[in-house]
Amino acid sequence: MNRKVYFLGGSIAILGLLGLLLYGVFYASNPKSIPSALIDKKASAFTVTTFDGKTISLEEFKGKPVILNFWASWCVACRKEAHIIEAAHQKYTPQGAVFIGIAINDTREDSLKFIRRYGKSYKLAPDDKVGNISLNYGITAVPETFFIDKEGIIRYKTLGAVTADSMEEFLENQLRS
Amino acid sequence: MIVDIGYYALLAAITMTLYGILAGTAGILKNNGNLIQSSRYAVLSTFSLVAVSYFVLTYAFITDDFSVDFVAGHSSTDLPLFYKITGVWGGMEGSLLLWEFILSLYIAIIAFRYHKSNKAILPYALIVLNLISFFILFMLIGWSNPLARLIPTPLEGQGLNPLLQNLGMVIHPPLLYLGFVGVAVPYAFAMGSLLRGKIDNEWALVTRRWTLVAWLFLTAGMGMGGQWAYVELGWGGYWAWDPVENSSLMPWLTATAFLHSVIVQEKRDSLKIWNMLLVTATFVLTILGTFITRSGVLNSVHAFAKSPIGPAFLIFIALILTFSLGLLFIRQDMLASKKQEAGLISRENSFLLNNVLFVGMAFTVLYGTLFPLLAEGLADKKLSIQAPFFNSIMAPLAILTIFLMGTTQFLGWKRTSRKMLAKNMLIPSTTGILFMIAGAMTLDVPWQFIFLAGMGYFAGYQVLMELIRAVRGGKKSKGQATQNEEQKQKRIKSLLRNRRKQGSAIIHLGVLVFLVGILGNYFGHESSFTFYPGDEKTVGDYTVQFEKLEESKARNADLVTVKLNIFKEGQHITTLNPAKAFYPTSTQPMTEVSIYRTLKEDLYTSVATINNDGSATINVYINPMVNFIWVSSFFFIVGTLLCLSYKSPQLKSGAKALKQEA
């Protein structure tokens, strides 16, 4: 009798533990994502000159979803996501999406080497000397990626290498509506 | 081409494992010795096949075969050969292959080492081990395939994380895996004996030895990990209560509990269900640890990304728990312990309390580790649990544990005579209390320090006395000044015969050495400052002079070194060279620390930043007694080896002797 109670108690505790782990795997938020005050706020405007000499500003892409990525040639995770962003760019830019990569804390030479090495072909620009763009976006580490909707509002932000799935989900949604 | 051979070898290995399970089961059901024999040989072929696959992956690393996704992600052409070989366990998929490699090696050893001495249990234990192996292989051929191809093939790999390019990190994972995987063996024997349905203490003997082996590797692995964190991460410490560190500590704690409580089973024939539970818990905790490390549900420095392997491991954990507890529930009557009276102050109760404490510590660590999930699930709050939580709960538990360490060996089974107790406790406890009072009056430290130090003194006295008594041999008879030759030999013989006991005393001594290292933390000192070449700063007894910045090339990295001259009492004692290492084109700068080590304290320096104006910001830590932490490992290793070298007479002559004895 007594022992049955112990086993029952143990089983309940174990079910609780498994439930918690289940929750962790499927429902809990990514432990690496840090809540940002910028979500659901208007993306701060900027104008930059790309590495190939064109001037672009965020304003001109109003009406298109924008993936805004902050990267640097010295960052490990940026190498990991380089192919992923390039592949997404190849697929979604023809459908009307915009990909912008801002290099921060980097020398022009290293950035260019990185771009060549990974065959990046979307809109790539260095931040200005002071790093105003990254300051306005509250960048704490590279890479960070902002998902900006057609109205120019930041909908989502990731820290660390961005995944193909997250971009796909966001862009499919935006481009369909 | 070669890569495909590796993958096919994995496919063949999983087939052989499946065959082993089926042949073993059929052999048991039909009582057919040939089938059981055949399942034993299947295990051998599984091991060879996994070995082939392991060496294929190593070959792919050495030949820079970036068509293999895992190699492209964890190596590059400029990586030194040594790190290419060790890069195999530099990531999730490869380390799982190493895991399976070790597991299949263990299974092969078991199948041939115990087929005579543990004939009855072995077939059952092999089935359990094969089931575990089957699961890992299933992961390897699917969701966590280390030989998966990458198309198109890149010209250059992403490189091995520079943090892993360190000798400590090369040794740490295999040691830890040897320990983690080793825990599966005791579990298999425990479950095997339950499956068999006839239980004697045979399983406990094998289990105890293998738990010792696993414990040794776990201890050494954690020590190595701490050493790595200390010299590589540059924050001046070695343990951060990180979820992944915790997941290696939890099975260590329950294994330690088991190693103590199994003595009670051996001597007093009780605590049998409890021991089964401990073995199961230890095994489940290793799998849970793997789950925590690989599923990415908790934030950790040991960054593995969130991966599909998480749910699979969760199912595995659920299956193990259901299987083990269900089996235990069905078989509980077989584990009935003899009702035995034991007085309040007895060795039995001391061991019991010891177990409560160790399990309590394991639970604390588990609770703290999973609390962020709990907080988010129940209260939708994001938070993390840091060192203060763990320290505040672990310290009192540790104080009690160390007290027991100094007490238990002087307690008798069943009951303890007051005379004995008074004789052995009087001196150490009175001087211990005086020591604590003196400490509390003179030192400005928290109460935990006073108690830890006091208990450490008390236990140290007892353990040393025990060792001295053992070396001296029994009491000399009165009036006899010297011992003759015969007595001397007797003494040596008894010393050898009792080496299991002396081994544990040495391990306990190691715990105390370790404790000294921890207590040193209370006197630690850290500071951080920015200065220019030529500047001097004073830190504790040391004067740190910034000589110059130096750029150099080393291995596959560019170094910017801050040259520091260290003075103590006006004397130039050493030059330290903390640096930032830049790994070409690939990675963020790494911190290379530089340490001036003495037994009393370490002067530990690391570079925070090198600024554009030629100044440098450095962190300086003074870590008193920290080397005791590393020294304690030697005690653990020597002590455990002594324990292992002793074979109980039962184990030597196998099951037969055991039956005769019964």
Side-chain angles (χ1 to χ4, degrees), chain A residues 6-7 11 15 29 39 46 56 65 76 89 98 113 115 167:
Chain A
Y6 285 142
F7 269 100
S11 308
L15 279 179
S29 63
I39 304 286
F46 59 82
I56 55 166
V76 190
H89 155 65
V98 177
K113 226 189 262 169
I115 291 168
M167 282 190 289

Side-chain angles (χ1 to χ4, degrees), chain B residues 28-300:
Chain B
I28 289 166
L29 290 177
K30 294 190 167 166
N31 200 8
N32 183 330
N34 287 337
L35 276 173
I36 290 174
Q37 173 102 333
S38 151
S39 83
R40 276 179 46 226
Y41 283 102
V43 158
L44 205 58
S45 66
T46 304
F47 167 66
S48 329
L49 289 163
V50 172
V52 166
S53 163
Y54 184 86
F55 290 118
V56 163
L57 184 59
T58 309
Y59 180 78
F61 262 93
I62 294 172
T63 55
D64 295 322
D65 187 347
F66 298 130
S67 73
V68 179
D69 195 357
F70 184 76
V71 179
H74 298 88
S75 183
S76 54
T77 45
D78 63 356
L79 195 67
L81 178 66
F82 181 69
Y83 291 122
K84 280 181 183 168
I85 295 169
T86 64
V88 172
W89 58 81
M92 188 157 82
E93 290 84 357
S95 63
L96 198 66
L97 183 60
L98 175 66
W99 177 294
E100 173 60 27
F101 182 57
I102 294 172
L103 178 62
S104 58
L105 172 67
Y106 278 169
I107 302 178
I109 293 174
I110 300 289
F112 288 86
R113 171 74 184 70
Y114 294 109
H115 79 287
K116 285 206 179 89
S117 59
N118 292 57
K119 204 172 178 184
I121 300 182
L122 186 69
Y124 296 93
L126 280 184
I127 291 175
V128 176
L129 284 168
N130 269 327
L131 284 169
I132 299 167
S133 171
F134 182 78
F135 170 77
I136 305 286
L137 281 167
F138 183 68
M139 294 283 96
L140 284 172
I141 60 168
W143 286 316
S144 188
N145 179 3
L147 294 161
R149 298 298 195 135
L150 181 64
I151 296 166
T153 301
L155 290 172
E156 178 59 284
Q158 290 168 8
L160 184 66
N161 185 343
L163 282 177
L164 303 184
Q165 299 185 30
N166 164 281
L167 192 66
M169 203 53 203
V170 165
I171 309 170
H172 159 70
L175 278 178
L176 210 54
Y177 284 166
L178 281 166
F180 260 52
V181 181
V183 164
V185 178
Y187 171 76
F189 271 88
M191 290 303 119
S193 71
L194 283 181
L195 278 173
R196 180 179 162 226
K198 232 177 89 185
I199 294 178
D200 37 42
N201 281 343
E202 193 186 334
W203 75 273
L205 289 171
V206 180
T207 299
R208 185 177 177 280
R209 283 179 74 78
W210 274 86
T211 308
L212 266 177
V213 173
W215 188 90
L216 176 64
F217 285 126
L218 269 180
T219 311
M222 284 198 288
M224 218 39 152
Q227 172 70 33
W228 167 77
Y230 189 66
V231 300
E232 199 69 359
L233 295 183
W235 60 278
Y238 42 83
W239 187 267
W241 298 107
D242 176 87
V244 170
E245 293 168 2
N246 291 348
S247 34
S248 64
L249 182 61
M250 287 186 282
W252 186 89
L253 287 167
T254 50
T256 310
F258 171 76
L259 287 173
H260 289 96
S261 66
V262 76
I263 300 173
V264 182
Q265 174 168 351
E266 203 179 312
K267 304 272 188 219
R268 307 294 297 156
D269 208 27
S270 60
L271 291 184
K272 289 180 187 169
I273 293 191
W274 175 248
N275 281 332
M276 285 278 178
L277 285 172
L278 278 180
V279 171
T280 306
T282 306
F283 177 63
V284 170
L285 284 171
T286 60
I287 304 293
L288 180 73
T290 316
F291 166 80
I292 289 174
T293 318
R294 284 150 198 274
S295 66
V297 295
L298 294 161
N299 205 0
S300 158

Side-chain angles (χ1 to χ4, degrees), chain A residues 3-4 7 14 17-18 20-26 28-33 73-76 79-80 117, chain B residues 156-158 273 288 291 296-297 299 311 314 321 325 329 332 370 373-374 376-377 382 585-588:
Chain A
R3 223 173 244 166
K4 271 193 185 138
F7 269 100
I14 282 164
L17 175 71
L18 288 175
L20 189 64
L21 297 179
L22 202 68
Y23 167 79
V25 172
F26 291 107
S29 63
N30 185 342
K32 292 210 176 355
S33 78
S73 66
W74 42 262
C75 115
V76 190
R79 298 172 102 188
K80 235 175 197 125
R117 190 168 181 135
Chain B
E156 178 59 284
Q158 290 168 8
I273 293 191
L288 180 73
F291 166 80
V297 295
N299 205 0
L314 196 55
L321 281 170
L325 294 182
F329 185 71
Q332 55 176 306
L370 295 180
L373 280 183
L374 206 61
E376 201 190 333
K382 261 190 122 76
T585 63
S586 52
T587 45
Q588 65 203 102

